[in-house]
Amino acid sequence: MVGMARPRFHRLDETQQQAILDAALTEFAARGFADASLNRIIESAGISKGSMYYYFDGKEDLYAHVIRDRLEAVIERDGPFPVPEERDPEGFWTVLAGYYLRLMRALMGDPQTAALLRGWLAGAGTPSLGAAAREAEQRMLPWLMQTLSTGQRIGAVRTDLAPELILGAVMGLGQAIDVWLISNPPADAVLEDAVSTVMDLIRRVVAP
Amino acid sequence: MVGMARPRFHRLDETQQQAILDAALTEFAARGFADASLNRIIESAGISKGSMYYYFDGKEDLYAHVIRDRLEAVIERDGPFPVPEERDPEGFWTVLAGYYLRLMRALMGDPQTAALLRGWLAGAGTPSLGAAAREAEQRMLPWLMQTLSTGQRIGAVRTDLAPELILGAVMGLGQAIDVWLISNPPADAVLEDAVSTVMDLIRRVVAP
DNA sequence: GGCATTCTTAGACCACTGGTCTAACTGGTG
DNA sequence: CACCAGTTAGACCAGTGGTCTAAGAATGCC
């Protein structure tokens, strides 16, 4: 499986694992995948190049691993985010709005992880982001598809367009909104208003 | 001004200008900015590295120039696209739908230019795309802002959100739709249906 | 305790990158 | 023909991601 550190990485001393992941997170968050330097990560982590390639298949493999690691950390700390089981549209959207608000707060409190995940999502459409990092993106797909399915079943989401198009549109919209929110960070007092605006935009796109 | 070949480039023999731009277009369209190799472009163009740096400030400068060159070519061949002057919303959207249809047809007939422009728009959110290429993107802004303004004036576009957010949302949506259309290219017979779907999605986002 | 085996590390080496720089070539002018 | 400005060629540089091999370290067995 791509995007998976070699099993021997998990047998490595915890402190050293952390040193590698921290160095990688810092570099990838600051510069994005393409402009990040594996050599700088290696130096910062205090290991040798041979070691790095002993534990990871390469730069892309390390990147995908760090993304998974951070996603799992966010879910563990701020989750869970089960697929909504509500039966009425208002309930459905309320749950999703709550998830979004929670995620926004979490990422506002963890700017490095936020930057990493942003860079990853933004780069998803470019060739320089390799298969491994795209595979990481694919991992979110089942959750998204299930949520979409639920929304369609209860009348909250349109059924006249291909699911892939609906999801893509929401993701594209979400990223654009994200970019704007970075430039115009809402005060905590109006975070919920911002979330309402976001949910409204998404609902408009997906409403039956 | 960045993104501008040095004036001496325009004094270069036409054939050689074209060789450089063709080699650059091919490489950037195929691999995107980050993974493109300036050395390969140089070799393919049949010039020396010293020459390339004599005419351009670097890889990024060349990229921005090729983008402008292709955008201008598209506008020259398939334009013009004046800011709509209609006074009623339906007229406004009809004009924009016509522009979109024309652009889609144009880009379907010019896949290399389409790939280049796609790579550019997709990369706009990533750090590896430099200031010069982002400046090229900024050049579309006045047209977009004017169109948005017209739409707002005649009641076709909402006024309750920041213009930057509305534009960003439309661009983000547009890219997601574009990605989907690449994977699911519509037959010419249903191109207008596809355009209608796209316009509907955009209208939902921006409607008052 | 020594030896063999396996695991892990170190860093030399490679082809390639974008970019700089200098010498040489070319063309125009007086 | 000499001089000057414009242009070209490609050597050189620091850095990249990745490979490879030798050496060191750890473990297990007799």
Side-chain angles (χ1 to χ4, degrees):
Chain A
M1 186 202 299
V2 293
M4 178 76 101
R6 295 171 171 175
R8 57 173 70 116
F9 178 68
H10 302 289
R11 296 203 297 270
L12 185 62
D13 177 50
E14 190 79 19
T15 308
Q16 206 156 351
Q17 283 187 46
Q18 207 53 56
I20 294 170
L21 294 180
D22 284 351
L25 170 61
T26 300
E27 179 78 4
F28 286 132
R31 300 168 188 263
F33 175 74
D35 292 337
S37 159
L38 192 61
N39 293 332
R40 275 198 295 266
I41 294 170
I42 286 164
E43 182 165 355
S44 177
I47 63 171
S48 68
K49 177 164 278 186
S51 278
M52 181 62 83
Y53 281 90
Y54 186 68
Y55 295 115
F56 292 93
D57 284 337
K59 184 184 182 187
E60 179 190 308
D61 189 29
L62 176 62
Y63 187 60
H65 184 80
V66 170
I67 286 166
R68 273 155 57 90
D69 182 67
R70 297 323 302 157
L71 277 176
E72 282 169 13
V74 164
I75 291 168
E76 184 163 326
R77 187 181 58 206
D78 305 288
F81 301 101
V83 171
E85 303 261 326
E86 274 65 22
R87 299 239 263 260
D88 67 299
E90 282 318 305
F92 176 82
W93 289 116
T94 299
V95 167
L96 291 178
Y99 289 175
Y100 190 80
L101 183 57
R102 250 198 283 159
L103 271 174
M104 278 192 66
R105 286 203 209 279
L107 294 179
M108 283 169 78
D110 190 353
Q112 221 176 27
T113 294
L116 175 84
L117 297 180
R118 247 169 219 127
W120 166 52
L121 289 173
T126 67
S128 67
L129 199 62
R134 270 196 281 272
E135 185 261 349
E137 186 184 33
Q138 284 297 309
R139 294 182 154 264
M140 295 169 48
L141 205 58
W143 185 96
L144 291 166
M145 280 299 187
Q146 275 186 280
T147 300
L148 177 65
S149 222
T150 299
Q152 286 177 324
R153 192 164 65 251
I154 66 175
V157 174
R158 70 198 294 177
T159 55
D160 59 331
L161 296 181
E164 293 80 14
L165 176 54
I166 297 176
L167 281 185
V170 169
M171 297 299 284
L173 193 60
Q175 277 189 54
I177 289 164
D178 190 56
V179 164
W180 188 81
L181 287 172
I182 292 172
S183 312
N184 303 268
D188 205 76
V190 294
L191 195 59
E192 289 183 28
D193 288 346
V195 167
S196 292
T197 298
V198 169
M199 299 313 296
D200 174 64
L201 283 166
I202 291 174
R203 287 181 71 163
R204 284 169 175 237
V205 167
V206 308
Chain B
M1 186 202 297
V2 292
M4 179 75 103
R6 293 173 174 176
R8 58 173 70 115
F9 178 68
H10 302 291
R11 295 203 297 268
L12 185 63
D13 178 48
E14 189 80 19
T15 309
Q16 205 155 352
Q17 283 187 46
Q18 207 53 55
I20 294 170
L21 295 180
D22 284 349
L25 170 61
T26 301
E27 178 79 4
F28 286 131
R31 301 167 188 264
F33 174 73
D35 291 338
S37 159
L38 192 61
N39 292 330
R40 276 198 293 267
I41 294 170
I42 285 163
E43 183 166 355
S44 176
I47 64 170
S48 68
K49 177 164 278 185
S51 279
M52 181 62 84
Y53 280 91
Y54 187 67
Y55 295 116
F56 292 93
D57 284 336
K59 183 184 182 186
E60 179 189 308
D61 190 29
L62 176 62
Y63 187 59
H65 184 80
V66 170
I67 285 166
R68 272 155 55 91
D69 183 67
R70 297 322 303 156
L71 277 176
E72 282 168 13
V74 164
I75 291 169
E76 184 162 327
R77 187 181 58 206
D78 304 288
F81 302 101
V83 172
E85 303 258 325
E86 274 64 24
R87 299 240 261 261
D88 68 299
E90 281 318 305
F92 176 81
W93 288 117
T94 299
V95 166
L96 291 179
Y99 290 173
Y100 191 80
L101 183 58
R102 251 199 282 160
L103 272 174
M104 278 192 68
R105 286 201 207 283
L107 294 180
M108 283 171 77
D110 191 352
Q112 222 176 27
T113 294
L116 175 84
L117 298 181
R118 246 167 221 127
W120 165 52
L121 289 173
T126 67
S128 67
L129 200 62
R134 266 195 284 273
E135 184 262 349
E137 186 184 33
Q138 284 297 308
R139 289 178 157 269
M140 298 169 47
L141 206 58
W143 186 95
L144 291 165
M145 281 297 187
Q146 274 185 281
T147 299
L148 177 65
S149 221
T150 299
Q152 286 177 323
R153 192 164 63 249
I154 65 175
V157 175
R158 70 197 295 176
T159 56
D160 59 331
L161 296 181
E164 293 79 15
L165 176 53
I166 298 176
L167 282 184
V170 169
M171 296 298 283
L173 193 61
Q175 276 189 54
I177 290 162
D178 191 55
V179 165
W180 187 82
L181 288 172
I182 292 173
S183 311
N184 304 267
D188 206 77
V190 295
L191 195 59
E192 289 183 26
D193 288 346
V195 167
S196 292
T197 298
V198 168
M199 298 314 295
D200 173 64
L201 284 165
I202 292 175
R203 287 181 72 164
R204 285 173 175 233
V205 167
V206 308

